[in-house]
Amino acid sequence: MRHLPLVSVLLGLGLLAQAPLAHAKNLVFCSEGSPAGFDTAQYTAATDNDAAEPIYNRLVEFERGGTAVQPALAEQWHVSDDGLRYTFQLRPGVKFHANKGFTPSRDFNADDVLFTFQRMLDRDHPLRKAYPTEFPYFISMGLDKNIAKVEKSDPLRVVFTLNKVDAAFLQNLGMSFASILSAEYADHLLAEGRPSDINHKPIGTGPFVFQRYQKDSQIRYKANPDYWAPDEVKLDNLIFSINIDPSVRIQKLRRNECQVTLHPRPADLQQLKADPQLQVLTTPGFNLGYIAYNTRHAPFDQLQVRQAMDMAVNKQAILQAVYQGAGQRAVNAMPPTQWSYDDTLEDAAYDPAKAKQLLDQAGVKPGTEITLWAMPVQRPYNPNAKLMAEMLQADWAKLGFKVRIVSYEWGEYVKRLKSGEHDIALIGWTGDNGDPDNWLGTLYSCAAIGGNNYSLWCDPQYDQLVQQAKQVTDRAQRTALYQQAQQRLKQQVPITPVAHSTVHQPLSVRVKGFAVSPFGRNVFSGVSVD
């Protein structure tokens, strides 16, 4: 297959900026979906986080391809002996982006950090009142209750005071929801009567400046000439080409119409690896694909019913058909690569006959109609949700259920799940920060209902264990508590873990410096194209 020169391809797509063509360095990323917006505090999906990642920085960030926290907008930090005060020394001379309607008059400082977090803490914050929104990550991790105050001690020093020790606090601040926004830009938008532009016309300090977004088509960014880490900006233009169909993404990659893509179908891997113009980066998946039972919808409010559904899932068949050798059976509510994982847990045996008995005991009549929601997009944890849904439909039909498969556009899908419209949903998670709380707290706690707890399950015994684990810093103590929580969750069956997938990332051999993130992020700072 002929590989066209990148400049020719970009000309054909109309994607080149006005930089001289002979000198422009451009990269096209074939992404899998349209973001709902760019105000990362509102969203939890990887599609939204990927789209915002080039634009913003956080106080601390994760090392490329790893889980360690390193300085970013904060050059250094100090934690008090009691673990309740975090003092951040901010980086001087950092510039915010500009756009057609706004040019910053000052550098980044403590006021921007205060604005970013006060908007999430204070329901009466002026921007939040003018542009009402919720902050699912912030709330599901209990930060809205645990951050007592955020103060500036001078223009480049900020102090966070916590009500209780939070062993995951620094890791949490490296996540996308904590991206630092411009207080000056927010004031400008309020004065102009356009507060929602903070979501649609984003301003950040990151390596790339947002240019424009066409839903279901493309997002365009250009290099930030004033970036505080200039060696990290090696591209002139970054373009996200949005394609929900994995076969289209692979075709574009092979034709050099994009240089990086994600989530290839397992059936395509052998052909991709054989292409001399491509490389396929592979890493164990820090992820989980699972089935969430809405515990507030009858009959799934009954433990017996959830147990029956769970033991009627033919996981082995799903692994073979959906993951095609690129996944491992999941038993637990988080991946085995996460510290504190309890490897003593076991699945209930696959037993449709016993499942029918449990349903009879629970009073569930044959012919009961239920909905099974299937994701419209590929995710690392589920390469083919439609096929998985069809297999589960057949599994549960053997129990007497009439299963109707439901799907929506990805943003609408997640929104409706959060409001609890579903009976059962296919969903999953890729870890965000390397801490067990990002699984056991973020996905299954009471505080996460309305956020990422798609089972709407609230168990006081479980919740107490998870909260206790956050408030101690000794890893052995935390591990013991988290393992008790895992055992409780396994007993109560709010979810059925299905698989942990291996992550394969195809890209052109011309791409240099790209690292697969354990958190599923696609980061283009430090990336270049030969």
Side-chain angles (χ1 to χ4, degrees), residues 318-453:
I318 289 173
L319 280 170
Q320 291 173 354
V322 176
Y323 293 87
Q324 298 181 28
Q328 71 178 93
R329 182 189 184 110
V331 175
N332 206 337
M334 60 186 188
T337 48
Q338 173 64 67
W339 65 264
S340 82
Y341 180 90
D342 187 347
D343 59 10
T344 68
L345 294 178
E346 295 181 357
D347 271 342
Y350 172 63
D351 194 339
K354 185 177 179 181
K356 288 191 74 171
Q357 292 176 4
L358 288 174
L359 292 175
D360 289 341
Q361 293 169 15
V364 178
K365 297 179 180 179
T368 297
E369 296 183 1
I370 59 174
T371 59
L372 170 60
W373 290 35
M375 302 177 302
V377 297
Q378 276 188 303
R379 307 299 319 150
Y381 48 74
N382 190 334
N384 192 336
K386 182 177 183 292
L387 176 57
M388 187 185 293
E390 290 168 350
M391 296 180 73
L392 291 170
Q393 184 182 47
D395 285 341
W396 292 331
K398 296 173 185 175
L399 305 183
F401 285 104
K402 290 184 177 179
V403 182
R404 180 169 62 90
I405 297 173
V406 174
S407 192
Y408 294 94
E409 179 272 331
W410 178 234
E412 187 70 14
Y413 184 87
V414 172
K415 178 182 176 182
R416 288 173 179 262
L417 286 189
K418 291 180 190 298
S419 65
E421 294 183 24
H422 58 291
D423 288 331
I424 305 175
L426 297 184
I427 196 66
W429 194 251
T430 296
D432 284 307
N433 64 17
D435 193 274
D437 183 69
N438 186 241
W439 298 90
L440 301 180
T442 300
L443 300 184
Y444 317 115
S445 69
C446 299
I449 292 173
N452 300 303
N453 183 344

Side-chain angles (χ1 to χ4, degrees), residues 73 151 243 249 333 453:
L73 291 181
E151 303 168 293
N243 306 274
R249 295 197 299 269
N453 183 344

Side-chain angles (χ1 to χ4, degrees), residues 126-290:
L127 186 75
R128 189 163 174 180
K129 292 180 75 173
Y131 175 49
T133 188
E134 294 300 324
F135 306 102
Y137 254 134
F138 193 73
I139 292 170
S140 66
M141 292 187 292
L143 293 173
D144 58 326
K145 296 182 174 61
N146 198 33
I147 297 177
K149 54 187 175 181
V150 187
E151 303 168 293
K152 67 173 182 179
S153 53
D154 68 44
L156 290 176
R157 187 178 289 112
V158 175
V159 181
F160 288 75
T161 302
L162 307 183
N163 289 314
K164 297 180 294 187
V165 172
D166 181 352
F169 186 66
L170 264 182
Q171 300 288 120
N172 291 341
L173 292 187
M175 293 165 56
S176 293
F177 82 90
S179 296
I180 302 301
L181 308 180
S182 165
E184 187 182 19
Y185 183 47
D187 289 342
H188 168 80
L189 293 178
L190 280 173
E192 293 282 320
R194 297 183 287 110
S196 66
D197 277 5
I198 204 162
N199 189 28
H200 307 298
K201 298 180 180 179
I203 291 286
T205 61
F208 296 94
V209 180
F210 174 81
Q211 296 294 284
R212 64 176 180 268
Y213 167 39
Q214 184 178 351
K215 186 174 170 32
D216 299 327
S217 178
Q218 63 172 269
I219 315 170
R220 294 189 55 184
Y221 315 81
K222 68 175 182 180
N224 178 4
D226 300 315
Y227 192 49
W228 53 270
D231 290 344
E232 291 295 296
V233 185
K234 300 179 184 294
L235 301 167
D236 295 316
N237 300 285
L238 173 64
I239 302 99
F240 280 32
S241 176
I242 299 168
N243 306 274
I244 63 171
D245 187 334
S247 63
V248 172
R249 295 197 299 269
I250 293 304
Q251 289 169 13
K252 289 193 170 188
L253 181 70
R254 293 182 65 107
R255 293 197 299 261
N256 198 33
E257 292 177 16
C258 62
Q259 290 70 55
V260 181
T261 189
L262 73 177
H263 312 330
R265 297 176 303 185
D268 291 333
L269 286 172
Q270 185 174 352
Q271 187 180 38
L272 291 171
K273 290 177 180 179
D275 190 328
Q277 299 300 319
L278 302 178
Q279 52 183 320
V280 180
L281 306 181
T282 301
T283 185
F286 192 54
N287 59 45
L288 170 68
Y290 64 94

